[in-house]
């Protein structure tokens, strides 16, 4: 398996494998994990249709202010790349032959709505709130 960086869209090597959590992790355990100072937290996705991993990543980033690498492992598809990145996942474990599919998926994703609302092309440029 290879590690795909969702920000650079390249294969990278993470410095170390850290803590691994399942998508059914309790909020108490998630709070302990987020504050432990772990360099890498891996979230295991059992099925690509299970959205709990996205929620776990979002909670780590927003509620627990986790700033390390979040690695998504398990059953994921390239179409989920943009959603993973928006939820705070920084890396994904992929098959080496799937690199082009993951890169293409990221290149086709639309920019976040906030960026569209604040652009020159927005109908009401003053309507953007963030």
């Amino acid at each position: 398996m290879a590690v795909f960086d969702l920000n650079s869209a390249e294969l990278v090597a993470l410095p170390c494998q850290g803590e691994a959590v399942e998508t059914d992790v309790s909020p108490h355990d998630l709070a302990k994990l987020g504050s432990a100072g772990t360099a890498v937290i891996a979230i295991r996705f059992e099925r690509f249709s299970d959205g709990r991993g996205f929620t776990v990543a979002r909670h780590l980033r927003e509620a627990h202010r986790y700033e390390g690498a979040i690695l998504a492992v398990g059953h994921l598809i390239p179409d989920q790349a943009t959603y993973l990145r928006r939820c705070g996942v920084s890396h994904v474990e992929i098959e080496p032959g799937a690199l082009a599919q993951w890169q293409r998926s990221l290149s086709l994703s639309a920019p976040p709505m906030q960026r569209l609302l604040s652009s020159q092309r927005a109908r009401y440029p003053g309507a953007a709130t963030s």
Side-chain angles (χ1 to χ4, degrees):
M1 289 293 208
V3 177
F4 179 69
D5 186 339
L6 290 170
N7 294 314
S8 69
E10 297 294 330
L11 293 179
V12 297
L14 286 179
C16 64
Q17 294 296 333
E19 296 287 329
V21 297
E22 300 295 325
T23 55
D24 61 353
V25 64
S26 73
H28 176 68
D29 290 340
L30 193 59
K32 287 193 309 188
L33 190 61
S35 63
T38 307
V40 179
I41 296 177
I43 301 172
R44 174 159 303 285
F45 287 74
E46 293 297 323
R47 294 181 310 261
F48 82 93
S49 61
D50 185 2
R52 294 179 295 171
F54 296 96
T55 304
V56 170
R58 175 77 102 203
H59 279 279
L60 280 169
R61 292 284 188 219
E62 293 180 358
H64 304 297
R65 305 280 186 238
Y66 178 73
E67 295 181 3
I70 296 178
L71 173 66
V73 297
H75 296 278
L76 296 158
I77 58 174
D79 292 350
Q80 296 170 318
T82 301
Y83 303 112
L84 288 163
R85 188 169 55 184
R86 287 185 184 174
C87 289
V89 174
S90 57
H91 299 83
V92 180
E93 191 175 70
I94 65 170
E95 295 289 335
L99 176 63
Q101 292 173 321
W102 282 88
Q103 289 173 327
R104 186 172 191 277
S105 183
L106 281 178
S107 71
L108 294 175
S109 65
M113 184 56 73
Q114 290 80 3
R115 200 172 341 154
L116 290 175
L117 290 174
S118 62
S119 73
Q120 296 273 344
R121 297 182 64 184
R123 186 173 294 181
Y124 304 106
T129 59
S130 53

